[in-house]
Amino acid sequence: MNKNTDNTEVIFLSDPSECLMHPFYTKKIVFTGALSTMTRSEAAKKVRACGGIMQGAVTQETDFVILGKKRRGISTKQSKAEQLISLGQDIQIIPEDDFIWLISMQKEDPLPHI
């Protein structure tokens, strides 16, 4: 019989949904351009509710740049993100519609009942 000599603990979660994390969880997020569906303050609350961290400017630490529909051309924030991406940074630039879809992901009942 094999004995486990690693002395590791196994932790069972009482709620299986606790192991599923939102894509914004612990990620740094920047908005550029006005959103057409909500205020930036409302959007920031939704990001924080998903475990995300708001930033005012794009940096090497940024994970997502959200492009609001009401923008004129390429913003300074978008240009900075594109520049950092070209230098190898892992920054995702996503349009407002994709942001809306991501924040609508529900944490409740992620697994089907059997």
Side-chain angles (χ1 to χ4, degrees):
M1 211 190 227
N2 291 339
K3 290 185 178 181
N4 184 354
T5 58
D6 292 338
N7 196 20
T8 58
E9 283 187 41
V10 176
I11 300 172
F12 293 98
L13 301 174
S14 59
D15 180 1
S17 68
E18 289 181 40
C19 64
L20 302 175
M21 288 187 256
H22 193 278
F24 290 156
Y25 183 73
T26 71
K27 302 299 182 187
K28 295 183 175 83
I29 297 163
V30 175
F31 290 105
T32 185
L35 301 171
S36 65
T37 55
M38 66 186 78
T39 67
R40 194 171 285 196
S41 176
E42 292 169 327
K45 284 180 187 174
K46 292 183 183 288
V47 165
R48 285 191 294 274
C50 295
I53 302 160
M54 293 302 306
Q55 286 185 304
V58 175
T59 69
Q60 292 180 350
E61 308 282 310
T62 303
D63 296 296
F64 290 96
V65 175
I66 313 301
L67 304 177
K69 283 186 181 178
K70 297 180 180 178
R71 66 186 194 290
R72 298 181 191 147
I74 296 177
S75 70
T76 305
K77 291 177 184 177
Q78 183 178 351
S79 293
K80 174 76 174 185
E82 289 171 353
Q83 176 189 19
L84 290 171
I85 290 167
S86 73
L87 296 172
Q89 292 299 125
D90 185 18
I91 299 174
Q92 303 296 314
I93 300 175
I94 62 174
E96 181 178 345
D97 290 339
D98 290 353
F99 168 73
I100 299 301
W101 179 78
L102 284 168
I103 61 170
S104 72
M105 296 173 83
Q106 304 232 338
K107 290 190 244 177
E108 297 82 41
D109 209 16
L111 303 173
H113 291 284
I114 299 176

